[in-house]
Amino acid sequence: MRILLCNDDGIGAEGLDALVNELAPEHAVTVSAPLSQQSGKSHAMTVHAEVELLRGKAMQEKYRQYGVEAWAVAGTPVDSVKLYLEALVQVKPDVVISGINDGSNLATDILYSGTVGAAREAFLHGVPAFAVSRDYGSAWSFAEVAHAFHSFLMETMERRDGECFLYNVNFPKKHNPGPAKFVYGRQGVRDYLNAYNRIERDGRIFYAVHGTPYDTDKSEPTDIYATEQGYVSVTPLKVDATDYEEMERELNR
């Protein structure tokens, strides 16, 4: 398969490295990822400014044996995917994988996630896409995540042959015995308590985001519930944000 790898943790991230190690020996892999950490960028893209494209030299030399081409984009995760698909290639990849993110992207976090944003951009271009994350402090190593995901990737691409889809995949904190169990579930609801900390320094006032997760919907079969049971959660996503019930009410007034 032709695979494009991207992320929001930056081109030097361990999770991206694990995916290249796992996938490049068997597939035609290309990397297009942000030059630096871009977490929380959601679907932001650079406008009214130039985006610098750099060779990911360290990664390219590291994976020369696999023929991996790597690009570092001085922009957002969406910039990385959009630039690659619209300006750098003539033939689209068969699939785009964003990750492996260091930290889960569950429930309403997907609205803020640069990992999901990059995958969503691929989906908007008609390319099947996965956003892959693992929880902070997970018992799953990045290499284990990459290996388990590889099997899931192959099974999914064969089963959904020719279809375009967007999957949000989250590996849990704990590692149940045996092979990874992938469980499909809907998006839960997550908020954060004390999300902003006030800091006074040198007569100036700063605020730093540092919240404790507060889940208001983690019932079965949400993504939060699945990961709390030690399963790998899989949530199919879509782009259409239309409130069809409200629209129907208005049309029938």
Side-chain angles (χ1 to χ4, degrees), residues 41-233:
K41 295 295 185 180
S42 187
H43 211 91
M45 62 175 288
T46 303
V47 295
H48 307 306
E50 296 175 342
V51 176
E52 186 177 7
L53 178 67
L54 307 167
R55 289 274 187 181
K57 290 183 180 179
M59 178 168 278
Q60 216 149 292
E61 290 173 5
K62 185 175 183 180
Y63 298 112
R64 191 180 301 280
Q65 60 179 315
Y66 302 133
V68 171
E69 185 175 45
W71 300 97
V73 179
T76 69
V78 166
D79 287 333
S80 299
V81 174
K82 194 174 182 67
L83 180 65
Y84 181 82
L85 293 179
E86 295 186 8
L88 298 180
V89 292
Q90 299 296 321
V91 180
K92 290 182 180 179
D94 298 308
V95 64
V96 171
I97 302 166
S98 181
I100 304 165
N101 191 65
D102 189 12
S104 62
N105 280 300
L106 297 165
T108 35
D109 281 349
I110 67 170
L111 299 174
Y112 305 97
S113 167
T115 304
V116 176
R120 188 189 299 116
E121 182 64 26
F123 177 72
L124 289 172
H125 282 78
V127 181
F130 296 84
V132 185
S133 307
R134 62 150 216 186
D135 204 354
Y136 289 119
S138 176
W140 289 83
S141 69
F142 282 115
E144 289 173 323
V145 170
H147 186 68
F149 173 73
H150 190 182
S151 297
F152 177 71
L153 167 70
M154 299 304 293
E155 182 273 326
T156 304
M157 292 298 288
E158 181 177 358
R159 177 171 51 84
R160 301 207 57 179
D161 182 34
E163 299 177 338
C164 187
F165 57 87
L166 173 59
Y167 281 178
N168 185 36
V169 181
N170 281 272
F171 280 74
K173 188 178 293 291
K174 62 183 178 180
H175 197 321
N176 290 341
K181 183 176 180 180
F182 291 79
V183 175
Y184 288 79
R186 63 179 175 82
Q187 174 189 331
V189 180
R190 168 167 288 179
D191 203 346
Y192 289 85
L193 298 175
N194 304 316
Y196 283 92
N197 293 335
R198 180 186 170 104
I199 303 168
E200 294 189 27
R201 186 171 62 244
D202 300 327
R204 301 166 67 187
I205 299 173
F206 304 87
Y207 280 87
V209 178
H210 182 71
T212 302
Y214 176 70
D215 300 327
T216 55
D217 182 4
K218 59 177 183 178
S219 58
E220 189 176 4
T222 61
D223 48 4
I224 303 173
Y225 177 87
T227 55
E228 286 188 345
Q229 307 310 306
Y231 304 136
V232 183
S233 72

